[in-house]
């Protein structure tokens, strides 16, 4: 286990929307990190060293101790291998890879190298998620549903990779819902799914999924990228203690009409606190359940072809 | 751990082609088992108790100690749950389930119940597979390829379930190749795939898959169900010790033109020996790597629509 300095010398790979919107502001407010380099084909960050590739960055900045990998999932494994081989701690944006098996390989490699690997799921760190988990653990759940409907044109404008094979389509936001559901509900598995593919795209624009648990709880999920107007990121449960609604992507918990927990979203600051924690304690945090469900949905699901999607 | 008698009192669920062709003959030659009941919607076996469902069989024959589940994978979980809940050891035909997550659930349940769960992969027990594994462990592999091409009309005549969502299509035989490949090669993961779906079917008729390993070995797989004439079930490797060909579905190993191992196929007798072994030792044997690769291929793969398939 290499010792890590304080603050941790960090690099970021893949400077796009999520890095500018979330990673840079979260790091600006966290004394645990010193961002010293970025690598990106297109994006630049002022005031620090910029490189065209992770390989160039790793070679030029040997003092790097950790890297955050924020490129599309199809390219994440190769970068993660390079970073782990160089003995760096690795923070993986979600989804952690293009396949479950490749992330299992990274997990083995991190153990071999004695460094920390973090498969981050930002929605799991939404402010009311822990309150929802505690509430559900205190009662009997009779039925549950996930409604995750948003406007892809608003949230992923012209992001071509997301529509390509391996880009996951509507499962890119849907996996956020699954990262919460797999944290607050007992272990689930898919019993049926229907995936809707636009006739001109290689990834689904909508999905309806049925889960059950070993306790025979039925959980339905409805993912749709064609939602204009109000956006829905909600998880509902009927319980012995009343109806639970975890809304706003995990920001607000309401039970039987009463607000139990509401707080401003601060997911990425929490993610970076967690990453520092596992680096300091020499552990890893790699839960593949959300990605496993997506792979299972693709394997088991029926496919329907729907109207072409033009960005 | 319930003690198990000798011979083990066994039931079979789902009496179709694979049971008549393989399970019944293998059991007839194995003193470890006493087949006392079957459950099937359509099939019957003479001379023992027949039931319309696993629930009816479990209720009527409490002396059953183990069950083999041979119905299509879409229905396997519910039957396995019923059997495990009743404290029976369970033999799962391949693939062990319709999703990876549901088999993980069964694995947890088997531990809770103190019974054995066997996710069987019959091709892994083909006679020359262990010789191939030993040979590959003794040398450096430079490249490998899997060619699994057969005539679906010959091997799966009018099997509707295999073409439905969750029936896996050409991955039904392809997973046999993967069960060998994951046993003889280092851990692999998929880097790209193309799946061909007949325009009138919900499952693929062909697939081309690229794998790599952590050691950067490239392994290609070519699955096709449209092969008339000679059938191909071959795995090739270029090595420091020459070209290896494992052919006939794992029956024959040839290195540089010399036959190293050739033996008549006896996969199911070996499977039932293995099942008795894990029951006697109170362990389970559940390797999900082959099914994981299929799920990953569906998630990551490009889809192409091809000519309709009429049985």
């Amino acid at each position: 286990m290499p010792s890590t300095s304080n603050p941790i010398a960090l690099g970021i790979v893949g400077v796009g929307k999520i890095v500018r919107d979330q990673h840079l502001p979260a790091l600006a407010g966290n004394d645990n990190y010193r961002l010293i380099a970025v690598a990106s084909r297109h994006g630049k960050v002022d005031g620090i060293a910029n490189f065209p590739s992770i390989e160039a960055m790793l070679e030029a900045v040997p003092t790097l101790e950790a890297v955050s990998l924020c490129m599309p999932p199809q390219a994440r494994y190769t970068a993660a291998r390079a970073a782990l081989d160089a003995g760096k701690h690795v923070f993986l944006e979600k989804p952690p890879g293009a396949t479950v098996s490749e992330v299992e390989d990274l997990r083995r490699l991190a153990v071999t190298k004695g460094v920390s690997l973090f498969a981050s799921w930002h929605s799991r760190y939404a402010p009311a998620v822990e309150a929802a988990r505690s509430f559900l653990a205190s009662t009997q759940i009779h039925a549950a549903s996930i409604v995750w409907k948003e406007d892809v044109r608003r949230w992923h404008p012209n992001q071509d990779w997301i529509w390509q094979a391996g880009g996951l389509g509507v499962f890119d936001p849907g996996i956020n819902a699954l990262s919460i559901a797999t944290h607050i509900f007992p272990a689930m598995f898919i019993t049926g799914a229907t995936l809707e593919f636009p006739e001109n795209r290689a990834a689904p624009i909508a999905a309806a999924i049925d889960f059950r648990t070993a306790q025979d709880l039925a959980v339905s999920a409805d993912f749709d990228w064609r939602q204009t107007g109000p956006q829905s990121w909600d998880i509902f449960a009927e319980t012995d203690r009343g109806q639970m609604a975890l809304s706003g992507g995990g920001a607000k918990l309401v039970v039987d009409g009463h607000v139990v927990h509401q707080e401003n979203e601060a997911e990425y600051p929490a993610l970076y606190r967690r990453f520092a924690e596992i680096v300091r304690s020499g552990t890893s945090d790699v839960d593949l359940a959300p990605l496993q469900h997506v792979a299972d949905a693709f394997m088991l699901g029926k496919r329907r072809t729907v109207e072409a999607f033009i960005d």
Side-chain angles (χ1 to χ4, degrees), chain A residues 159-242:
Chain A
Q159 284 187 5
D160 258 0
W161 65 266
I162 218 164
W163 289 107
Q164 288 162 11
L168 302 188
V170 76
F171 284 99
D172 181 80
I175 207 170
N176 296 337
L178 297 179
S179 75
I180 297 176
T182 52
H183 188 64
I184 66 176
F185 295 128
M188 315 187 296
F189 50 89
I190 294 177
T191 56
T194 303
L195 280 56
E196 298 189 346
F197 287 73
E199 62 183 20
N200 63 335
R201 302 287 183 167
I205 196 165
I209 311 167
D210 291 313
F211 295 88
R212 64 188 272 198
T213 71
Q215 298 76 28
D216 284 327
L217 170 66
V219 181
S220 67
D222 193 355
F223 299 156
D224 204 317
W225 246 354
R226 296 163 300 196
Q227 175 97 335
T228 54
Q231 309 283 287
S232 309
W233 298 292
D234 303 318
I235 299 178
F236 302 102
E238 302 295 332
T239 80
D240 269 356
R241 294 179 56 198

Side-chain angles (χ1 to χ4, degrees), chain A residues 273-292:
Chain A
R273 283 197 301 275
R274 174 70 182 145
F275 184 46
E277 187 178 287
I278 68 169
V279 167
R280 300 293 181 212
S281 65
T283 56
S284 282
D285 180 349
V286 182
D287 178 11
L288 291 175
L291 187 62
Q292 184 67 67

